[in-house]
Amino acid sequence: MNNNFDYLVLGGGSGGIASARRAAQQGARVAVIESGPLGGTCVNLGCVPKKLMWHAGQLAHGLDEVAGYGFSVGEVAHDWTTLVSRREAYLRRLNGIYQQNLERDGVTIISGHGQFVDAHTVSVAERRIQAEHILIATGGRPDQPDIPGAELGLSSDGFFALSRRPERVVLVGSGYIAVELAGVLQALGSTVQMIVRRDRVLRHFDALMADTLMAHMQGLGIELHCETQVAALHAQEPGLRVQLDTGAELAADALIWAVGRSPNSAGLGLERAGVSVDERGHVLVDEWQTSSQGHIYAVGDVTAGPALTPVAIQAGRRLADRLFGAPPAQKLDTRMLPTVIFSHPPIGTIGLSEAQAREQYGDAVRVYSGRFAALYFALIEHKVFSAVKMVVVGEEERVVGLHCIGPGADEMMQGFAVAMRMGACKRDFDATIAIHPTAAEELVTLR
């Protein structure tokens, strides 16, 4: 049994696996320690199962819209149990693919919970493993507030464990997880109410996107309780009684906490390895992913960087290349970061919001925006309006932010992100011939 490696990775999620495989492909002796199913949050309790549930919600909306195109489908029933069963079977196949890929690259998989013994040694049960370089990629976990009865609610992890769809749901939170789960549950038939601590959802995203989404959600029947918090939860038969700080009470079959995530750093023995963390437990790293201990690194949600799977993957691969490859040294670059919120409808965003741009560039900022209904809705009574915004800076009008909400926003933004990383200006968008009729053409015809 080999207990000595060039590279030891704590955590078998997206970032850890990507880094481990890249290092092994460069000839390093690599091991991955993981106590749960391979793939981490993204594969098991995040991006992948969330997107599958979002597709189900999209199909439900489509069934409501087909009459506008002359279809008559009659009564339609949805079987939540079948959806969950097929989703979980797909995820188990993915777990197997991750294992096969690691084994094919020669990576040793160690099952269990790793803890630092010292700066070069990690224990898994009675086994002691040593490595020249160690990567911490243990991810994060959902938060739960400290209020009476909080344990009666579910986390976002608990949402994926639901064997039945609750009829009445209260969702607490205002970030992307909250709006995504609210959209799925409403589309599949639940009555949804959201408790939002501030005056709107998605406060860290562009205001036009947030305001447009809120209008859509309310149009679908999702009730928003803004500037409100949950004071306590009480069990009742059936379901729950949700006590709000306004004095009002709501009845629900389930409450889901979507109030943030914390890093999985406790219990790793980081103090024995000389690894520093911030007040929330994030591993402190520099721009090269290096911790306070020079041969120990961290990527992904266990750090304070953007909590996005592609960010963790790129950070992990570039780290492995620097340690074991021979390319020019490269570090993670999150400028012009593209991301998508799988709300109903979806939001695609790249770079800075208008507020962020004005804070950074002041009066040099100019904004172009538009609102429209895609051609798809021409024959449909209930319209879903899209909105787009371009944020530019300086006389050259360099594009520093691009935002879109509406059907197709999730797929149309990737190519624009490439252009923006290359320094595209508004004139470059203007000079690009539009693809007609599409929603994407609105981004090259803004005036």
Side-chain angles (χ1 to χ4, degrees):
M1 181 184 294
N2 182 20
N3 288 322
N4 291 280
F5 297 91
D6 300 315
Y7 195 41
L8 179 61
V9 178
L10 278 68
S14 299
I17 287 177
S19 194
R21 292 188 63 199
R22 181 62 62 88
Q25 291 161 5
Q26 304 275 19
R29 296 170 302 149
V30 183
V32 170
I33 299 172
E34 175 56 63
S35 60
L38 292 170
T41 297
C42 178
V43 167
N44 298 288
L45 296 164
C47 322
V48 176
K50 177 266 302 287
K51 183 72 179 290
L52 293 173
M53 301 299 283
W54 180 80
H55 280 308
Q58 290 291 90
L59 289 169
H61 286 306
L63 289 170
D64 290 336
E65 294 161 353
V66 295
Y69 282 86
F71 292 95
S72 178
V73 295
E75 185 175 351
V76 177
H78 180 259
D79 188 335
W80 178 277
T81 303
T82 297
L83 171 60
V84 169
S85 175
R86 291 180 64 83
R87 182 195 74 202
E88 292 304 301
Y90 176 70
L91 299 184
R92 299 295 78 80
R93 289 197 295 275
L94 287 185
N95 297 146
I97 290 170
Y98 273 93
Q99 180 170 341
Q100 292 166 16
N101 287 340
L102 286 167
E103 292 173 346
R104 185 174 62 245
D105 288 330
V107 177
T108 299
I109 304 170
I110 301 170
S111 180
H113 177 70
Q115 291 184 306
F116 281 95
V117 176
D118 57 44
H120 281 280
T121 309
V122 173
S123 67
V124 179
E126 301 302 315
R127 187 174 177 180
R128 297 291 186 270
I129 303 150
Q130 292 190 321
E132 181 179 356
H133 299 280
I134 300 174
L135 173 63
I136 303 167
T138 48
R141 65 184 186 279
D143 290 334
Q144 179 178 290
D146 183 17
I147 63 168
E151 70 281 358
L152 298 172
L154 302 171
S155 67
S156 55
D157 291 359
F159 165 80
F160 291 110
L162 285 170
S163 58
R164 292 173 41 198
R165 176 183 57 78
E167 292 293 330
R168 303 166 301 167
V169 181
V170 172
L171 256 155
V172 186
S174 60
Y176 72 93
I177 294 175
V179 300
E180 288 174 342
L181 297 187
V184 166
L185 286 160
Q186 185 281 327
L188 296 180
S190 296
T191 299
V192 178
Q193 299 188 70
M194 288 189 68
I195 311 301
V196 179
R197 184 163 61 97
R198 301 289 181 85
D199 60 340
R200 69 168 189 252
V201 300
L202 302 178
R203 286 184 57 83
H204 298 296
F205 293 84
D206 192 86
L208 177 61
M209 304 296 103
D211 292 342
T212 304
L213 178 61
M214 287 178 66
H216 281 310
M217 295 175 78
Q218 291 170 318
L220 291 169
I222 296 174
E223 187 174 353
L224 301 174
H225 301 267
C226 293
E227 298 182 309
T228 303
Q229 297 188 68
V230 176
L233 286 184
H234 306 278
Q236 66 179 23
E237 194 58 44
L240 300 170
R241 179 166 54 89
V242 183
Q243 182 180 337
L244 305 181
D245 63 355
T246 60
E249 292 188 345
L250 308 176
D253 298 306
L255 178 141
I256 300 174
W257 300 113
V259 291
R261 294 176 66 83
S262 294
N264 277 328
S265 59
L268 294 179
L270 297 179
E271 66 283 354
R272 293 191 290 271
V275 175
S276 299
V277 299
D278 67 14
E279 64 279 0
R280 292 197 59 205
H282 295 109
V283 177
L284 293 171
V285 294
D286 64 14
E287 58 187 351
W288 301 96
Q289 308 302 139
T290 306
S291 76
S292 54
Q293 186 68 264
H295 66 281
I296 299 176
Y297 318 89
V299 301
D301 293 5
V302 77
T303 73
L308 296 169
T309 294
V311 172
I313 289 172
Q314 187 173 113
R317 286 175 176 164
R318 292 197 170 186
L319 172 63
D321 285 340
R322 291 196 303 271
L323 294 177
F324 304 106
Q330 290 186 343
K331 61 186 177 183
L332 177 67
D333 182 359
T334 57
R335 292 174 300 168
M336 300 305 173
L337 180 66
T339 188
V340 166
I341 302 166
F342 287 101
S343 48
H344 292 271
I347 296 171
T349 180
I350 307 166
L352 303 178
S353 68
E354 179 182 350
Q356 290 167 337
R358 293 194 184 282
E359 181 178 350
Q360 187 169 338
Y361 296 105
D363 293 339
V365 171
R366 186 174 180 182
V367 171
Y368 297 88
S369 63
R371 184 173 182 268
F372 61 95
L375 184 61
Y376 172 81
F377 294 99
L379 307 183
I380 296 171
E381 184 174 346
H382 176 71
K383 309 284 191 235
V384 175
F385 284 91
S386 299
V388 297
K389 178 183 284 189
M390 177 184 290
V391 183
V392 303
V393 171
E395 292 184 7
E396 77 278 17
E397 293 196 319
R398 179 170 56 89
V399 183
V400 297
L402 195 65
H403 311 279
C404 178
I405 178 171
D410 52 318
E411 294 290 350
M412 74 172 69
M413 300 300 278
Q414 187 73 73
F416 287 110
V418 175
M420 289 171 62
R421 277 192 57 82
M422 296 175 70
C425 296
K426 173 78 164 52
R427 63 177 179 270
D428 299 309
F429 281 64
D430 294 342
T432 301
I433 296 174
I435 303 171
H436 180 76
T438 66
E441 69 179 310
E442 300 291 334
L443 293 171
V444 297
T445 57
L446 284 168
R447 292 291 181 268

